Structure formats: structure tokens, C-alpha cells
Amino acid sequence: MNKKLKRSLISSIVMISMIFMSGCGNSQDKNLGDIEKDISSKVSLDKMEKGTSKTLKRYYGLNSNELEDFVLYTPKSTMDVDEMLMVKVKDESQIQSIEDVIDFRINKQLESFSGYGPKQCELLDNYEIKVKGKYVFFAVSEKAQEMKDAFKESR
């Protein structure tokens, strides 16, 4: 009977350990909405407005149906350049094309503001981008570094 008790106890410990360890791996697939909440709790997104799939198409030429998920914030004013884009791709092979459209967006914005928007150009020159697994983070803001740090912590 003592052996049966030991086996039962060991089996229980192994099962409990497996349950706890399986929970640890879930941070890799964290919902973008949760990451957005983590970022907005640390950095104000008040200078931006939340975008839709139409906004994503207009600003980046991306089709939301080809992505697993996205969160987009765009400038409230045409004179601002603050924006944030987080994308979860369906396949990691999409990441390069996401980086390319971000580059195109930055260059287009720099072209628009060159000559009369030195503050905007400085922000655009100091954008932050981070790729982690299937996630791509991009931000232009005075708080872009803090936003990126919050993204990394949340992931």
C-alpha cells in the first residue's frame, strides 16, 4: 500500500507540474488587445485614434484578412505623425513585407514633412520597431521607446 501511495503522489505532482508548465507557454500567443491594454496603461495614446481595417489599408496598403490580428493607432491631426502599429502575422514569412510597408510609410511621411516640419521629421527619424516571433511592433512618438518597452514586457 505504501508503494501505491508513493506512485499516486508522484503521478499527482507530475500532472500538477504539467498543468503549471503548460500555462507558461501561453505568453507567446498573447492577444494583441491585451498587449494594447498593457501599453496604454504605461503610455498615453491620447494623441492618436484607433484605426480600422480600412485605415490599415489606406495607411499601409495591408489587407487585414491576410493577418492574424492587428492594432493600429493613427495621428488625430494631419500635422501629427504619432502612430502605432502592432501586427500578428499568420506566417513568419510575412514579416519582411510588413517591415517593407513600414519603411515605405516612414519615407512617405518624411517626404511630406520635409521642409516645414522639423519636429515631425525628428520623430519619424527616431521611430521604434520590434519583431518578436509572429509579432511586429512599430511606433512613431515622443514615447516610442516606452511603448516598445511596454510591448516587450507584455509579450
Side-chain angles (χ1 to χ4, degrees):
M1 179 130 160
N2 205 6
K3 283 185 176 185
K4 284 185 180 181
L5 183 60
K6 283 182 183 180
R7 279 188 194 161
S8 178
L9 184 60
I10 289 173
S11 294
S12 297
I13 291 171
V14 168
M15 288 184 58
I16 290 171
S17 297
M18 287 173 54
I19 290 170
F20 280 113
M21 291 179 75
S22 69
C24 293
N26 288 339
S27 66
Q28 289 294 333
D29 280 343
K30 193 163 187 180
N31 181 308
L32 279 182
D34 293 337
I35 296 171
E36 174 188 9
K37 287 177 192 169
D38 291 345
I39 292 171
S40 66
S41 72
K42 294 178 177 135
V43 180
S44 173
L45 303 177
D46 290 344
K47 290 180 76 175
M48 299 176 274
E49 58 189 13
K50 192 159 183 174
T52 64
S53 57
K54 286 182 181 180
T55 316
L56 181 70
K57 183 74 169 174
R58 189 175 95 214
Y59 278 65
Y60 293 92
L62 295 171
N63 185 342
S64 62
N65 294 332
E66 296 173 1
L67 305 171
E68 190 160 322
D69 198 6
F70 78 96
V71 171
L72 173 63
Y73 280 84
T74 58
K76 281 186 177 178
S77 162
T78 57
M79 290 305 296
D80 289 331
V81 293
D82 291 41
E83 60 188 83
M84 179 181 76
L85 173 66
M86 291 187 294
V87 174
K88 183 176 182 188
V89 295
K90 290 181 178 180
D91 186 281
E92 288 184 25
S93 66
Q94 295 173 289
I95 290 174
Q96 185 59 55
S97 65
I98 301 294
E99 290 177 318
D100 291 344
V101 297
I102 289 170
D103 259 356
F104 182 79
R105 171 79 177 146
I106 288 292
N107 290 329
K108 188 175 175 186
Q109 287 287 82
L110 282 167
E111 188 178 297
S112 295
F113 285 99
S114 68
Y116 74 92
K119 184 174 172 36
Q120 291 91 335
C121 288
E122 182 181 340
L123 287 173
L124 289 162
D125 284 333
N126 294 309
Y127 71 90
E128 293 290 339
I129 191 165
K130 176 71 180 165
V131 175
K132 192 165 187 178
K134 290 185 173 186
Y135 296 83
V136 179
F137 169 86
F138 163 70
V140 174
S141 170
E142 289 178 355
K143 304 281 186 185
Q145 178 65 49
E146 290 94 332
M147 295 163 85
K148 183 174 94 171
D149 291 343
F151 168 79
K152 289 188 323 190
E153 289 171 16
S154 182
R155 283 275 308 116

